[in-house]
Amino acid sequence: MKTLAIYIQCLFFILCIGAEDGPSKEPDLGSEATPKPHDHAKFSGFTLDDSSWKIVWHGSTDTELLNAPNMESILMLTKDNEQYNCQLENSRRLTKDEDVAYEGPNPLELLEPLFSKMACSYRLESYWTYEVCHGDFVRQYHETKEGKQTKLIEYFLGRYSKDTLKSQIAELDAAIAAGTAASPKKLRLEELDLPYLEVPYRDGTVCDLTGRPRETLVRYVCHAGGRHELVSFQESSSCQYVIVVLSPLLCSHPDYRVTADVENSIHCIALSNSPKRPRSLLELESESLGAAPPPDGAEPAAAAESKASPVYDEKLVNDFLAGRHCLNGGSGWWRYEFCYGKRVDQYHVNRDGSRTTLHLGFFSHDVHRQWLRANPLKRPKPVPARRHVSHFYSGGTMCDESGAPRSVEVKLKCKLSDSPNAVSLYLLEPRTCEYILGVESPIICGLIDSADEDGLLDR
């Protein structure tokens, strides 16, 4: 009971009482949350991003919840003297089990075989190709043909060496022995909090803007099905870069194993004629949407916001929506093909040109709508806050491990580019044979705002 009280008091302080100290830019209560890495408030020894939480607000008529079995409850009062009875299933645990003592190689030693091979991974964008030769260098380059000549434009974004690896392994061993080694930091990718090992690649090509060598922080995360893919690339500041790599090598270390995020619901029932949701919370949401504060008891309306729709190749977009233009991506052994409204495949091209294919899922309107009813937080957000839409593809190739067909949630995201054909695809497997496919393309930019209530796209 004490842990529940502390947790809900913390949430109420941030959402209802602390709101007047300065509104957040994108409150997203009662819906799927995507917090920024380490963007959390510390309170009484735990952090708000330890688990995924949502508050479900109930009106005063939902009295049957007040006597529900297996629930812990606490009475809460907002700054406006609004009263709520907040409940959580007492079978939920708010703390994590302590890891069993680990005596194996340190995380850098686990990556040493990859660094020793100097294997390279690639990410193709519309113009640049990004190359990470693990334990050696990070490079971006572009090749063009001029007659019979090939012109190469390249920049080294950082370098690494065997001597650096050796010294950093020794430093990490010493810190572990002294008990001063820091716990891994985490980054948020889709619905997972991923512990990562950060390896700095320094002394790249001198940057014209800063006059200093380029540097890249390569963040290696555990992914059992990974083949050292570059799942993301960003320029965090001028000539400073961050790359995330999915690698299976870290998965043998307990500090870097990934557990699927479990969403927990806190049910708050309004008491004593209090509004369904606190007044200060409604004001905060309205301000974030650019709308006037709602009248007492009313829900905030989405702000009327006009967005300029980029102009794209009309035929290309129509072919995409008809499933005729499929998007391909991925690197390494497996690649991915997404045909909108039809299927998602994982495949490998053999030497003879034939394909080895695993079907990750096929699209069915009825199954997709059933999935949305079971997972209402997957529905599209209001347009001003919409960053993606999710579709569910099911009935894929049978999975030997789970004994069930494969399935995949496809997250369609806008990614602006000079080329309408640019596309980035990456695949995560948060649960055995249940996937998340991220699809980023300019084709999607002009479509997601007009998606219907089920997230389906139309022109």
Side-chain angles (χ1 to χ4, degrees):
M1 176 70 73
K2 183 178 179 182
T3 306
L4 173 65
I6 291 174
Y7 198 93
I8 297 180
Q9 285 169 359
C10 179
L11 287 173
F12 261 71
F13 178 80
I14 295 171
L15 303 179
C16 305
I17 299 175
E20 62 184 4
D21 294 335
S24 64
K25 292 183 178 179
E26 286 189 32
D28 188 23
L29 306 171
S31 62
E32 180 182 335
T34 310
K36 296 178 181 179
H38 314 299
D39 187 12
H40 54 251
K42 293 188 177 180
F43 188 84
S44 189
F46 64 90
T47 61
L48 290 182
D49 63 356
D50 282 342
S51 299
S52 177
W53 295 90
K54 66 172 181 176
I55 295 183
V56 180
W57 303 97
H58 299 273
S60 56
T61 58
D62 295 334
T63 54
E64 69 276 4
L65 292 172
L66 295 175
N67 299 313
N70 300 321
M71 300 290 282
E72 296 181 46
S73 65
I74 184 173
L75 293 176
M76 296 302 303
L77 187 69
T78 71
K79 68 181 182 66
D80 296 318
N81 293 319
E82 299 154 325
Q83 296 182 29
Y84 298 87
N85 184 308
C86 294
Q87 305 191 16
L88 177 74
E89 291 183 28
N90 57 24
S91 59
R92 300 283 191 189
R93 293 186 302 168
L94 300 183
T95 58
K96 297 180 179 178
D97 294 332
E98 294 183 356
D99 287 325
V100 177
Y102 172 77
E103 298 180 353
N106 74 42
L108 262 178
E109 288 178 301
L110 293 175
L111 290 178
E112 192 171 11
L114 175 64
F115 287 12
S116 298
K117 291 192 303 183
M118 293 188 181
C120 300
S121 304
Y122 300 87
R123 181 179 176 90
L124 281 66
E125 300 285 354
S126 57
Y127 185 82
W128 294 107
T129 296
Y130 298 94
E131 177 185 33
V132 177
C133 290
H134 305 279
D136 194 1
F137 62 82
V138 180
R139 179 175 71 127
Q140 73 177 85
Y141 64 90
H142 176 71
E143 293 181 340
T144 56
K145 291 283 188 179
E146 295 182 357
K148 295 183 179 181
Q149 301 293 323
T150 300
K151 182 180 179 182
L152 175 67
I153 303 172
E154 67 175 354
Y155 299 95
F156 285 88
L157 309 186
R159 299 179 186 275
Y160 199 78
S161 69
K162 293 181 179 179
D163 290 340
T164 301
L165 175 63
K166 185 177 179 179
S167 64
Q168 289 183 349
I169 287 176
E171 290 172 4
L172 187 52
D173 278 337
I176 292 172
T180 59
S183 298
K185 295 180 179 179
K186 295 181 180 180
L187 58 88
R188 186 75 173 179
L189 182 62
E190 298 302 345
E191 293 154 355
L192 299 174
D193 286 319
L194 303 177
Y196 64 84
L197 177 67
E198 188 169 84
V199 179
Y201 287 64
R202 298 192 169 97
D203 298 322
T205 306
V206 173
C207 176
D208 295 336
L209 298 176
T210 65
R212 296 190 298 271
R214 290 170 165 82
E215 294 184 359
T216 300
L217 299 176
V218 180
R219 294 173 175 171
Y220 293 91
V221 301
C222 156
H223 184 54
R227 294 183 178 271
H228 317 297
E229 299 99 327
L230 310 188
V231 70
S232 72
F233 173 90
Q234 65 176 1
E235 186 170 2
S236 55
S237 60
S238 295
C239 298
Q240 302 286 313
Y241 310 91
V242 177
I243 292 175
V244 178
V245 175
L246 301 180
S247 174
L249 298 179
L250 286 177
C251 298
S252 59
H253 197 296
D255 289 350
Y256 293 87
R257 290 177 192 145
V258 182
T259 54
D261 195 14
V262 177
E263 185 174 70
N264 301 270
S265 295
I266 299 172
H267 297 269
C268 290
I269 303 99
L271 302 176
S272 303
N273 297 319
S274 297
K276 183 176 179 180
R277 296 199 292 170
R279 170 72 182 177
S280 57
L281 177 57
L282 298 180
E283 292 175 348
L284 180 62
E285 291 180 338
S286 295
E287 185 170 350
S288 73
L289 296 175
D296 290 341
E299 296 290 316
E305 181 178 329
S306 61
K307 292 184 179 180
S309 298
V311 177
Y312 301 113
D313 185 329
E314 187 76 21
K315 183 179 184 304
L316 184 66
V317 172
N318 290 335
D319 286 347
F320 169 74
L321 292 175
R324 293 188 296 268
H325 177 75
C326 299
L327 304 181
N328 289 266
S331 61
W333 181 269
W334 289 110
R335 296 180 65 83
Y336 317 111
E337 182 174 63
F338 168 61
C339 300
Y340 176 80
K342 291 191 175 181
R343 58 180 170 79
V344 180
D345 288 343
Q346 184 180 38
Y347 66 91
H348 170 69
V349 179
N350 303 308
R351 289 185 177 180
D352 61 2
S354 63
R355 280 190 181 189
T356 300
T357 301
L358 289 175
H359 300 298
L360 303 188
F362 299 90
F363 189 75
S364 162
H365 287 84
D366 291 339
V367 174
H368 171 70
R369 292 188 178 100
Q370 291 173 10
W371 178 72
L372 288 178
R373 285 194 291 271
N375 300 273
L377 300 185
K378 300 294 184 181
R379 289 192 178 278
K381 297 177 184 178
V383 171
R386 187 176 299 168
R387 301 291 180 267
H388 72 274
V389 294
S390 288
H391 295 168
F392 186 63
Y393 288 64
S394 60
T397 303
M398 189 64 68
C399 175
D400 294 335
E401 291 85 350
S402 67
R406 287 170 165 81
S407 62
V408 57
E409 175 189 353
V410 177
K411 288 198 168 184
L412 300 171
K413 301 181 180 181
C414 166
K415 182 175 183 180
L416 296 176
S417 172
D418 293 335
S419 170
N421 291 298
V423 61
S424 296
L425 281 78
Y426 59 86
L427 190 75
L428 299 177
E429 188 176 5
R431 299 173 189 85
T432 303
C433 296
E434 295 181 15
Y435 306 91
I436 297 172
L437 178 69
V439 180
E440 302 174 348
S441 173
I443 294 176
I444 299 164
C445 296
L447 300 173
I448 58 174
D449 284 358
S450 60
D452 64 18
E453 62 179 3
D454 295 324
L456 301 180
L457 307 180
D458 196 6
R459 189 60 176 162

